[in-house]
Amino acid sequence: MMNTLPGRVAGSLTAGSQLTGRKVAPSQHAPTRQLGQRQVVHVQSPDRPMPTSFKKQAVNVDMRDEGSESSGLFTSTNPQLRRVVPENQGNRVCVKVVYVVLEAQYQSALSNAVKNINAKNDKVCFEVVGYLLEELRDANNMESFKKDVEAANIFIGSLIFIEELAEKITSVVGPAREKLDACLIFPSMPAVMKLNKLGTFSMAQLGQSKSIIGDFIKSARKNNDNFEEGLLKLVRTLPKVLKFLPSDKAQDARNFVQSLQYWLGGNADNLENLLISTAQAYVPALQGANMETSDPQLFPETGIWHPMAPTFYEDLKEYLNWYDTRKDIKFTPESPVVGLVLQRSHLVTGDEGHYSGVVAELEANGAKVVPVFAGGLDFSSPVKKFFYDPLGSNRAFVDCVVSLTGFALVGGPARQDAPKAVEALKALDVPYLCSLPLVFQTTEEWLDSELGVHPVQVALQVALPELDGAMEPIVFAGRDSNTGKSHSLPDRITSLCSRAIKWANLRKKKNAEKRLAVTVFSFPPDKGNVGTAAYLNVFGSIFRVLKELQAQGYDVGDVPNNEGDLIQSVLQNKEARFNSADLNIAYRMKVDEYQRLCEYSENLEENWGKPPGQLNSNGQELLVFGKQFGNVFIGVQPTFGYEGDPMRLLFSKSASPHHGFAAYYTYLEKIFKADAVLHFGTHGSLEFMPGKQVGMSGGCYPDSLINSIPNLYYYAANNPSEATIAKRRSYANTISYLTPPAENAGLYKGLKELKELIGSYQGLREGGRGQQICMTIVETARQCNLQNDVQLPEDEEAAKNLTLEERDLVIGNVYRKLMEIESRLLPCGLHVVGIMPTAAEAVATLVNIGEINRPDNNPPVKGLPTIMAESIGRDIEEIYRTSNRGVLSEVNLLEKINEACRDCVSEFVKDRTGLDGRIGQSWLTILSKWTGFYEDPLQRALRGTPFSAASRPDLLNTFKYLEFCLEQVVKDNEVGALITGLEGRYVEPGPGGDPIRNPGVLPTGKNIHALDPQSIPTQAALKSASVVVERLLERERLNNQGNYPETIALVLWGTDNIKTYGESLAQVMVMVGIRPVADALGRVNKLEVIPLEELGRPRVDVVVNCSGVFRDLFVNQMLLLDRAIKLAAEQDEPPEMNFVRKHALQQAEELGLQSLRDAATRVFSNSSGSYSSNVNLAVENSSWSDESQLQEMYLKRKTFAFNSDRPGAGGEQKRDVFENAMKTVDCTFQNLDSSEISLTDVSHYFDSDPTKIVQGLRKDGKAPSAYIADTTTANAQVRTLGETVRLDARTKLLNPKWYEGMLSSGYEGVREIQKRLTNTMGWSATSGMVDNWVYDDANSTFIEDDAMAKRLMDANPNSFRKLVATFLEANGRGYWDAKPEQLEKLRQLYTDVEDKIEGVEV
């Protein structure tokens, strides 16, 4: 069936053309439309990257309101543009209508409707004014809105789903509701829906009736998941439900549903009828006016639209009959087919110009299109109905799907149903892109914004579609502030369409013809770092991928025989020297060729001068490093280029990519002609280049560099935050890989001896030898450098005089520290893509998964320690508390519980282990069952232990959950997912995070997504945060004569908050005594003050520094934090009970600030588009002179304030406010949430450490306390920074289990060891909390052991040189007091390794 759209003639199609047809028979004489007659309104965004200043080029059309200025809000449009006043009222009744909508698509149609009535109707005229929801953040607009509502007859609201703005609307419309003649609220939050009023009709009344309507309203109040879909269903079932209503109410209910039909119809005719029918029914002055209205014009719920077609189609065959007989354009049989998903509301309101632009661009580039729409917000229905082969083969008809709605496939502004969407997309199995039109900003506002897309739109239209597996959030359409209409952004549409076609072509092209560019990283850019990636054996993984590609028919040329030969061929020799020909040169690019092919090369000259420059260059040509194997190129991505330049590191904004970087991606696209690029491992530099945070323009470097190449990106599963940056800023399909299997750190050398001594002590503690053994333990503990971690007797005499209880306490604390070291999880070795853990390797991971209570699971799962404790009548939390205090018997009991848990899991896994060591059938288990000697693994493990009476049902329930987790841990789809992506198919999405906290991360080989940013912090996170804050404050009071800290400086990380669902975010709230509260839709955007009586302590002031990644992902939550801190400052409380207020008042006076709120600014980060303080780059590259230079980098780059009163301003530099707040800091604080990443594993932690900065700013020069919260286990700990650095050194850098595991990967393993030492020195530089013995022991392990030194030098001489240089640098900077003979050996080794690198025989 087709639906003709009358009144549309050849050449009439424009961005403003309206679909005004009712359901009528198909037209018999559809006019021919020529492609050349399309008229698409558009605005040009910058098509080349701008210089670092981000000054925008001129655009074709300027749509700013005349005289408008930035108010710090995202939306500065003027609602008066939507005011229509009758020119001549005469004797007519004038009805005033005020409306509020989420987006502006109704503006044009509604204005036209009103103007038509005012011109023709002799009984009534209308004054109409409309507000966009975001405009109500502005105080002037809000005041104007109040006045308009007070004078209104009718109020209309639609899609009001932002809680804080919904509250503003209800606060104004609620009191005026009785005076209003009518109030129409279409799908919105329940509190706003209750404002509905048509005569006797109200939503509240319907909610009380026993009817389908009543059930619907109650359901909507409960969860509001698919409100619009439910409302549409209600409209369709109206005839059945009206009989349940009293007769006097039936007409009003009928009028409400008819009003909704008019509204959803959306064109000028429907809206004209809506206004007239509502006015004459409910405005007293018009009763009996008898104005004629028509029934609502109905459009299909789902269908196919095309800007050239005469009608809507409801059948794919009919659409193709029309499409394939068009005279204006021809397609080849191999043309890709792109399915577009559209919102019907844009079509019926005549706001489809931006859709027309996409259709025109796709077809002009040789692609066929099938543009489908839905009337509601469940777009899976038209996907299932129209995107499959019409001949019934059940195969996909389209080769790629691009959603132009911006919304999740199933859902809308409220929530989405990701499982339903994923089910539909998995079945279709084609790439799925979700592009977005600007909603809350005009085109000019977006172009001028360094943030890019409005944070609310990011949450609704970027984060939620990602849960469906959507990629590539390209802004394809802008909005005209004067008309509210959408228009194409030509360069953005060109980018979107070229990328969609390339994804589609991956389905068409034969594997043997596909060209793949594998990109590896070299970071830091020096000596032996080629193939850097977090926890990944990069070349081992590439070798495995090449073999699989070969098996799939790809042309991989002469693949080397092994991983070592692969390294050799790419690097020429393993000892790669950055910026030299020691790397294999794949291509030499002439300068004129580079300038011709790289459209934005001129813009890079501001930062880097004329090409070719000094980087990736021989002085005359630009060099592309790498090696080609058939149709696969393995290339080395250049680095930022400014790592070694102290002056560039001081810039508050990051520099543009250098010419060599641009030449590399120009080569991949224009010369090698890659069909896809595979970025190999976490992570490169592309996604961190300057530009908007989300929703980039053509002037943003990541967009320009990747340009049209489909991007697949292997990313560590435990790093969803940076994976999300890669997804949004480099348009990556991020495929997760597993981190290496975890093992318990164990004990070695003196630590092992200590544990044996403690075992002896426990048997002899009360005898004569107890004292002697205690003294030996104390002495051994000193030899192991535990005196700073455990309070030991001062000398031998003091040890002799200890009572039995005092001895037990000393031994208990030493034992507790040993257990802490021994049980700490650490990843051993490096992961190879596609090689999953053996059964035995999975045990430690499974033990830690089983440790956690999971009350929210269905059914709830008890942690194994809880079950063991309950079996002996104890509470595990009580055991944790007493063990933490060092009570010897409790430490011993906790160790027995941990052993029992490990034994249970080990026996359980053993029962499921095959002969190959992997999960499968255990022949021993089969045989023992057959012979009748089989014993249940849990009974085997607990037999003879104190826990043999453990609850059988609880254990079975927990191990049922663990069995599922075990299956997920060992599943392999990492290479399979890559092959799927390269075949142009749908890679199933999955969450990233910590697999121990959230086993849903497994199996790997999924398209990683983060979470709904508005869902955090959760209640569980808030509970955990309260425990940590309580322990932190308790620890600091012990160190500070019982005084509470007045100010805490802390860091928020993106990945940590994703993994923990916002624990550290919640910690800030708890510190200042403010409670985050979810709105009616479960989105956390409200705040409550915790009364001081309930808090039981002062409100502690905070200085929050957010990582650049946290800023990108959680801008809304940053603004929520700012609101919370300012709310605390505004509480009229004594200064000794409210340190936030105390300091804000002081700082307002000191800085001459008029506003207390400005003085309470406490949330900071980098400027938009910049990341890190660059302290890490300076340390890694030894490009700093002294600590003051590092501190200046931090203060220049990390002092950009985020202000909830100016949310559209982004980061504004407020260094004076930051420094003033930091002067009051008593302690610094960070969180560790995952066993895989600790303080010295990555440089990010010391890069953001402000400890020495605080000391320099405080008037008394006192160093603040520094703490680290460790929530990697169920027993959360708060340790000092020094304790944590020592724990890290003992469990990793100095631990034979760890470094031997790394060295099993050879070349890459040496780099990992060197990296840990460099990061350790970073902590010396920023905090001064690294003990001398750490350097001594590391030197003893890696340098003084001649055999070890030779292994390191042979495996990776450049990384070994860096290791030796770091020891010398640590000594030179005063961080390590080395002996002369140690320094002499280091200098000799440095000379030896230099000779080896230069090829000099020693």
Side-chain angles (χ1 to χ4, degrees):
M1 178 183 176
M2 298 187 298
N3 291 275
T4 305
L5 307 177
R8 297 175 63 186
V9 295
S12 68
L13 180 65
T14 69
S17 61
Q18 295 177 13
L19 308 182
T20 56
R22 305 173 185 228
K23 282 193 174 182
V24 294
S27 167
Q28 301 299 309
H29 306 286
T32 303
R33 285 148 172 81
Q34 298 299 315
L35 189 64
Q37 292 176 309
R38 298 183 185 183
Q39 300 174 37
V40 181
V41 174
H42 59 256
V43 168
Q44 180 72 42
S45 85
D47 57 1
R48 290 185 174 187
M50 302 297 101
T52 308
S53 64
F54 296 106
K55 292 176 182 174
K56 296 293 178 291
Q57 292 180 357
V59 292
N60 294 9
V61 180
D62 186 352
M63 289 171 301
R64 288 189 186 86
D65 301 331
E66 197 170 328
S68 71
E69 294 180 8
S70 171
S71 60
L73 301 175
F74 281 93
T75 303
S76 54
T77 47
N78 186 351
Q80 300 310 314
L81 293 167
R82 279 168 239 109
R83 190 179 296 275
V84 179
V85 180
E87 293 178 5
N88 180 21
Q89 178 178 341
N91 295 321
R92 297 180 295 176
V93 174
C94 185
V95 176
K96 182 167 184 176
V97 178
V98 179
Y99 67 91
V100 178
V101 289
L102 180 72
E103 46 185 323
Q105 66 204 58
Y106 277 83
Q107 177 181 336
S108 180
L110 194 52
S111 297
N112 288 340
V114 170
K115 288 173 182 176
N116 195 43
I117 294 171
N118 290 351
K120 296 179 180 178
N121 196 295
D122 60 356
K123 296 180 181 177
V124 66
C125 58
F126 285 87
E127 177 187 347
V128 174
V129 61
Y131 293 82
L132 301 182
L133 193 55
E134 277 294 309
E135 290 172 345
L136 297 181
R137 293 188 191 276
D138 182 87
N140 293 331
N141 287 344
M142 191 64 188
E143 194 56 40
S144 173
F145 175 63
K146 286 178 186 174
K147 290 177 181 175
D148 279 324
V149 170
E150 285 169 6
N153 300 93
I154 298 170
F155 176 77
I156 301 173
S158 177
L159 296 183
I160 298 165
F161 282 113
I162 300 171
E163 175 90 0
E164 58 190 299
L165 299 175
E167 288 176 351
K168 288 189 172 192
I169 289 168
T170 53
S171 72
V172 172
V173 179
R177 184 175 179 274
E178 288 306 311
K179 279 175 53 184
L180 288 166
D181 296 322
C183 187
L184 286 168
I185 308 293
F186 304 124
S188 295
M189 299 196 72
V192 187
M193 291 293 291
K194 288 179 184 176
L195 296 172
N196 264 301
K197 171 191 170 185
L198 282 183
T200 58
F201 167 83
S202 75
M203 299 301 275
Q205 289 172 338
L206 283 177
Q208 294 161 8
S209 65
K210 295 183 183 298
S211 67
I212 294 174
I213 297 180
D215 292 342
F216 164 69
I217 296 300
K218 287 170 186 170
S219 170
R221 284 177 179 161
K222 184 177 178 183
N223 55 36
N224 211 78
D225 273 358
N226 273 312
F227 202 104
E228 181 157 335
E229 288 304 314
L231 212 49
L232 290 171
K233 184 178 178 183
L234 185 151
V235 170
R236 290 192 290 269
T237 55
L238 177 66
K240 300 174 186 174
V241 301
L242 286 180
K243 62 184 179 182
F244 291 102
L245 295 172
S247 57
D248 59 330
K249 295 179 181 176
Q251 186 58 47
D252 291 326
R254 193 177 290 113
N255 286 348
F256 170 74
V257 180
Q258 182 173 269
S259 297
L260 178 59
Q261 289 176 321
Y262 281 133
W263 183 259
L264 294 176
N267 62 20
D269 287 352
N270 272 326
L271 296 176
E272 190 174 328
N273 285 316
L274 167 66
L275 294 173
I276 290 175
S277 61
T278 305
Q280 74 174 347
Y282 299 106
V283 175
L286 287 171
Q287 286 187 359
N290 293 324
M291 290 178 284
E292 193 173 315
T293 58
S294 306
D295 289 339
Q297 298 173 22
L298 303 178
F299 299 98
E301 285 302 312
T302 61
I304 307 174
W305 164 90
H306 191 286
M308 306 299 285
T311 184
F312 289 143
Y313 295 90
E314 294 186 75
D315 180 85
L316 180 57
K317 287 180 186 174
E318 291 188 20
Y319 171 75
L320 293 176
N321 285 341
W322 167 79
Y323 196 80
D324 292 339
T325 56
R326 288 169 60 189
K327 307 291 187 192
D328 58 321
I329 194 165
K330 297 295 180 187
F331 299 98
T332 69
E334 291 303 309
S335 293
V337 181
V338 178
L340 300 177
V341 181
L342 319 174
Q343 277 182 275
R344 191 189 67 176
S345 57
H346 279 280
L347 304 178
V348 298
T349 57
D351 184 26
E352 86 280 24
H354 54 321
Y355 293 163
S356 299
V358 175
V359 171
E361 180 69 18
L362 284 169
E363 292 184 341
N365 284 281
K368 294 181 175 181
V369 291
V370 182
V372 304
F373 64 82
L377 289 168
D378 182 353
F379 300 103
S380 68
S381 177
V383 164
K384 293 173 185 174
K385 189 173 180 182
F386 302 121
F387 285 167
Y388 284 90
D389 179 5
L391 300 179
S393 69
N394 216 26
R395 291 196 303 265
F397 180 72
V398 298
D399 298 302
C400 178
V401 172
V402 182
S403 171
L404 300 180
T405 68
F407 289 121
L409 192 69
V410 182
R415 286 187 190 165
Q416 40 73 269
D417 185 347
K420 185 176 180 181
V422 170
E423 181 186 4
L425 293 166
K426 271 176 71 178
L428 188 65
D429 201 21
V430 300
Y432 176 54
L433 284 59
C434 190
S435 194
L436 55 151
L438 294 174
V439 173
F440 301 117
Q441 299 150 282
T442 64
T443 305
E444 292 292 334
E445 287 167 339
W446 165 69
L447 285 172
D448 286 345
S449 169
E450 291 184 355
L451 289 175
V453 172
H454 189 303
V456 172
Q457 187 173 5
V458 172
L460 297 179
Q461 296 195 331
V462 178
L464 293 184
E466 285 171 350
L467 304 184
D468 299 341
M471 306 181 290
E472 312 209 359
I474 295 172
V475 174
F476 77 97
R479 179 167 63 79
D480 185 328
S481 61
N482 293 303
T483 66
K485 287 206 166 193
S486 299
H487 49 240
S488 305
L489 298 170
D491 76 300
R492 300 293 76 216
I493 284 182
T494 297
S495 177
L496 169 66
C497 294
S498 63
R499 296 187 62 79
I501 289 170
K502 283 202 172 182
W503 277 111
N505 282 337
L506 287 174
R507 291 177 66 80
K508 298 284 188 182
K509 210 167 190 178
K510 293 176 181 175
N511 286 350
E513 297 171 359
K514 290 177 187 172
R515 299 176 71 81
L516 175 64
V518 176
T519 297
V520 300
F521 313 122
S522 175
F523 192 83
D526 187 19
K527 332 299 193 280
N529 285 327
V530 173
T532 312
Y535 290 116
L536 189 65
N537 181 333
V538 171
F539 284 105
S541 298
I542 292 174
F543 182 73
R544 185 174 174 81
V545 166
L546 287 175
K547 287 294 187 184
E548 183 60 31
L549 290 174
Q550 190 175 44
Q552 296 289 331
Y554 288 78
D555 176 3
V556 297
D558 296 324
V559 180
N561 295 322
N562 54 54
E563 166 191 341
D565 289 348
L566 178 64
I567 296 173
Q568 179 71 20
S569 62
V570 173
L571 307 184
Q572 255 182 16
N573 60 48
K574 294 182 198 175
E575 300 82 34
R577 284 171 56 192
F578 186 81
N579 203 24
S580 83
D582 282 359
L583 284 167
N584 190 65
I585 298 171
Y587 190 77
R588 300 172 190 270
M589 190 180 293
K590 303 291 185 187
V591 170
D592 61 343
E593 181 184 31
Y594 164 69
Q595 291 175 321
R596 177 169 47 83
L597 295 178
C598 181
E599 297 174 357
Y600 51 90
S601 63
E602 195 176 313
N603 294 311
L604 310 184
E605 294 178 12
E606 178 188 4
N607 287 127
W608 301 101
K610 294 284 184 184
Q614 304 300 311
L615 299 165
N616 290 68
S617 160
N618 60 12
Q620 288 81 41
E621 301 159 311
L622 291 143
L623 305 179
V624 176
F625 294 121
K627 179 79 172 177
Q628 189 166 338
F629 300 94
N631 284 340
V632 177
F633 170 67
I634 301 175
V636 182
Q637 183 192 71
T639 59
F640 286 110
Y642 51 75
E643 295 88 347
D645 184 341
M647 294 310 296
R648 289 185 191 274
L649 292 174
L650 281 167
F651 294 163
S652 62
K653 293 188 177 183
S654 300
S656 69
H658 56 81
H659 293 296
F661 203 103
Y664 177 79
Y665 282 94
T666 300
Y667 168 78
L668 296 188
E669 182 180 27
K670 306 282 178 66
I671 298 170
F672 177 69
K673 298 189 184 301
D675 292 298
V677 62
L678 169 60
H679 288 94
F680 219 103
T682 307
H683 59 73
S685 308
L686 169 65
E687 60 268 35
F688 295 101
M689 286 295 174
K692 299 181 189 301
Q693 289 175 200
V694 185
M696 293 180 292
S697 71
C700 298
Y701 288 113
D703 179 279
S704 299
L705 288 160
I706 196 65
N707 204 24
S708 69
I709 315 173
N711 183 11
L712 296 134
Y713 205 141
Y714 270 132
Y715 231 92
N718 68 345
N719 194 345
S721 62
E722 289 179 318
T724 302
I725 300 300
K727 184 186 292 288
R728 295 176 184 176
R729 301 188 89 239
S730 69
Y731 309 139
N733 186 337
T734 48
I735 299 171
S736 61
Y737 65 83
L738 201 60
T739 49
E743 294 184 33
N744 294 109
L747 299 174
Y748 53 93
K749 298 179 182 175
L751 299 173
K752 194 172 184 180
E753 183 186 340
L754 258 181
K755 186 178 181 184
E756 291 165 357
L757 284 168
I758 290 171
S760 301
Y761 173 81
Q762 286 179 301
L764 302 167
R765 55 188 281 275
E766 296 185 24
R769 291 195 58 203
Q771 184 186 74
Q772 184 183 348
I773 297 171
C774 174
M775 291 168 64
T776 307
I777 288 171
V778 169
E779 182 56 33
T780 308
R782 286 191 197 283
Q783 291 169 7
C784 292
N785 299 295
L786 288 173
Q787 65 273 14
N788 290 333
D789 299 287
V790 179
Q791 192 170 348
L792 300 175
E794 291 181 9
D795 51 33
E796 189 175 327
E797 190 61 33
K800 279 183 183 176
N801 294 328
L802 294 174
T803 65
L804 177 61
E805 289 75 17
E806 289 170 338
R807 280 206 313 260
D808 281 355
L809 189 59
V810 170
I811 304 301
N813 275 309
V814 173
Y815 192 13
R816 177 179 63 83
K817 182 56 64 175
L818 289 178
M819 293 307 97
E820 196 174 77
I821 296 166
E822 183 178 31
S823 63
R824 193 167 180 81
L825 270 191
L826 52 93
C828 283
L830 297 170
H831 179 65
V832 175
V833 164
I835 298 182
M836 309 313 284
T838 63
E841 288 171 339
V843 167
T845 299
L846 221 56
V847 168
N848 279 264
I849 290 174
E851 185 182 71
I852 301 171
N853 290 320
R854 302 176 190 271
D856 297 331
N857 205 66
N858 186 19
V861 172
K862 280 187 181 179
L864 290 175
T866 299
I867 296 171
M868 301 303 166
E870 288 176 352
S871 73
I872 56 172
R874 295 290 303 277
D875 173 41
I876 190 63
E877 292 298 329
E878 180 196 349
I879 295 172
Y880 286 150
R881 282 193 294 273
T882 49
S883 173
N884 289 346
R885 291 200 297 269
V887 177
L888 181 58
S889 58
E890 297 291 85
V891 178
N892 193 43
L893 174 59
L894 185 57
E895 171 64 2
K896 286 180 179 176
I897 287 174
N898 290 337
E899 283 177 358
C901 296
R902 278 196 291 271
D903 290 345
C904 282
V905 172
S906 296
E907 292 296 326
F908 174 79
V909 171
K910 195 186 297 179
D911 243 26
R912 289 154 177 76
T913 304
L915 293 174
D916 60 354
R918 299 193 173 274
I919 296 302
Q921 284 195 320
S922 168
W923 292 105
L924 188 62
T925 301
I926 294 169
L927 185 63
S928 59
K929 284 183 178 179
W930 182 69
T931 57
F933 290 103
Y934 177 74
E935 184 180 10
D936 177 88
L938 304 183
Q939 289 176 342
R940 269 200 316 267
L942 297 178
R943 187 178 358 101
T945 72
F947 317 109
S948 55
S951 165
R952 186 76 182 160
D954 284 345
L955 282 172
L956 290 176
N957 183 49
T958 298
F959 274 91
K960 183 179 178 183
Y961 178 75
L962 290 180
E963 183 158 35
F964 168 77
C965 294
L966 178 61
E967 291 169 0
Q968 305 311 302
V969 169
V970 300
K971 266 187 188 174
D972 172 24
N973 191 39
E974 293 177 349
V975 180
L978 171 64
I979 299 298
T980 297
L982 288 174
E983 289 175 350
R985 293 164 53 206
Y986 175 75
V987 178
E988 187 177 347
D994 181 0
I996 289 169
R997 287 176 182 266
N998 178 17
V1001 167
L1002 304 169
T1004 46
K1006 292 180 180 175
N1007 181 358
I1008 305 175
H1009 61 70
L1011 43 69
D1012 177 357
Q1014 297 180 107
S1015 66
I1016 65 168
T1018 62
Q1019 285 303 303
L1022 190 59
K1023 185 177 177 182
S1024 299
S1026 300
V1027 171
V1028 169
V1029 170
E1030 181 185 330
R1031 292 180 183 177
L1032 169 65
L1033 296 178
E1034 184 182 330
R1035 186 82 195 261
E1036 173 60 10
R1037 289 182 74 197
L1038 285 172
N1039 287 349
N1040 196 24
Q1041 292 83 48
N1043 296 315
Y1044 283 100
E1046 292 204 3
T1047 306
I1048 298 173
L1050 67 163
V1051 183
L1052 295 186
W1053 299 102
T1055 287
D1056 294 14
N1057 278 281
I1058 293 171
K1059 290 178 181 175
T1060 65
Y1061 298 94
E1063 277 184 22
S1064 55
L1065 185 65
Q1067 288 165 3
V1068 182
M1069 303 278 198
V1070 172
M1071 288 173 189
V1072 299
I1074 301 292
R1075 184 180 290 118
V1077 180
D1079 66 16
L1081 302 177
R1083 299 175 306 198
V1084 183
N1085 53 28
K1086 299 168 70 176
L1087 300 166
E1088 287 178 0
V1089 177
I1090 303 173
L1092 287 175
E1093 300 75 29
E1094 181 184 338
L1095 194 60
R1097 58 165 174 82
R1099 300 187 198 281
V1100 177
D1101 200 359
V1102 292
V1103 183
V1104 184
N1105 218 302
C1106 304
S1107 74
V1109 173
F1110 183 93
R1111 173 208 62 208
D1112 285 4
L1113 300 186
F1114 298 112
V1115 169
N1116 287 314
Q1117 306 316 84
M1118 285 177 73
L1119 300 176
L1120 185 71
L1121 270 186
D1122 183 70
R1123 284 169 49 203
I1125 295 163
K1126 287 172 176 172
L1127 182 60
E1130 289 171 335
Q1131 300 309 300
D1132 188 7
E1133 295 165 343
E1136 68 274 9
M1137 292 304 292
N1138 187 335
F1139 299 138
V1140 190
R1141 182 175 180 81
K1142 173 185 173 181
H1143 297 152
L1145 290 169
Q1146 289 171 355
Q1147 287 153 18
E1149 186 176 345
E1150 289 172 17
L1151 297 173
L1153 300 173
Q1154 299 301 309
S1155 162
L1156 179 69
R1157 290 179 67 82
D1158 285 347
T1161 296
R1162 296 291 185 270
V1163 181
F1164 299 88
S1165 184
N1166 294 84
S1167 66
S1168 298
S1170 292
Y1171 302 84
S1172 91
S1173 69
N1174 283 352
V1175 169
N1176 58 343
L1177 299 182
V1179 169
E1180 287 164 345
N1181 294 277
S1182 302
S1183 51
W1184 55 293
S1185 54
D1186 55 34
E1187 290 176 2
S1188 64
Q1189 193 178 46
L1190 297 181
Q1191 291 163 21
E1192 184 63 16
M1193 288 175 196
Y1194 186 105
L1195 291 169
K1196 278 199 169 183
R1197 289 179 61 85
K1198 300 291 288 184
T1199 53
F1200 288 79
F1202 283 73
N1203 187 343
S1204 57
D1205 298 330
R1206 293 171 51 80
E1212 299 177 290
Q1213 188 139 37
K1214 300 284 183 184
R1215 181 167 172 171
D1216 55 344
V1217 177
F1218 179 82
E1219 291 187 3
N1220 219 292
M1222 289 291 265
K1223 289 176 184 177
T1224 68
V1225 167
D1226 295 306
C1227 61
T1228 64
F1229 179 62
Q1230 293 199 55
N1231 285 274
L1232 290 177
D1233 65 275
S1234 167
S1235 58
E1236 295 154 330
I1237 302 176
S1238 192
L1239 288 189
T1240 59
D1241 290 321
V1242 293
S1243 60
H1244 304 63
Y1245 288 118
F1246 76 76
D1247 179 75
S1248 290
D1249 174 48
T1251 304
K1252 285 189 177 178
I1253 291 171
V1254 171
Q1255 184 176 3
L1257 291 172
R1258 282 183 65 109
K1259 291 176 182 174
D1260 58 9
K1262 178 185 171 187
S1265 308
Y1267 297 102
I1268 303 290
D1270 180 346
T1271 58
T1272 58
T1273 67
N1275 184 17
Q1277 301 286 314
V1278 174
R1279 303 186 184 94
T1280 66
L1281 174 56
E1283 287 169 350
T1284 310
V1285 170
R1286 291 190 290 273
L1287 179 62
D1288 226 33
R1290 289 181 176 117
T1291 53
K1292 289 188 176 169
L1293 184 64
L1294 304 176
N1295 185 353
K1297 183 183 280 191
W1298 181 83
Y1299 62 69
E1300 289 295 345
M1302 286 299 168
L1303 287 175
S1304 67
S1305 296
Y1307 170 82
E1308 275 114 337
V1310 181
R1311 182 175 61 230
E1312 292 295 321
I1313 293 168
Q1314 171 262 309
K1315 184 170 78 173
R1316 296 314 185 288
L1317 184 70
T1318 302
N1319 291 342
T1320 300
M1321 191 183 72
W1323 282 109
S1324 292
T1326 63
S1327 72
M1329 294 191 184
V1330 182
D1331 295 357
N1332 200 71
W1333 68 263
V1334 173
Y1335 292 107
D1336 269 337
D1337 283 15
N1339 184 73
S1340 173
T1341 301
F1342 301 112
I1343 303 299
E1344 292 177 6
D1345 181 335
D1346 291 338
M1348 174 62 77
K1350 186 176 187 308
R1351 285 174 68 191
L1352 298 176
M1353 189 188 296
D1354 289 346
N1356 189 335
N1358 279 307
S1359 285
F1360 181 64
R1361 176 172 58 181
K1362 174 66 174 171
L1363 182 79
V1364 172
T1366 302
F1367 277 115
L1368 291 169
E1369 185 180 354
N1371 171 257
R1373 294 189 185 278
Y1375 302 143
W1376 174 37
D1377 184 12
K1379 300 179 182 68
E1381 58 270 24
Q1382 291 174 317
L1383 296 175
E1384 183 56 37
K1385 173 121 187 184
L1386 284 164
R1387 292 187 187 108
Q1388 183 57 51
L1389 277 173
Y1390 193 87
T1391 302
D1392 293 347
V1393 73
E1394 282 273 282
D1395 288 344
K1396 182 178 178 68
I1397 289 169
E1398 297 299 330
V1400 178
E1401 292 295 329
V1402 180

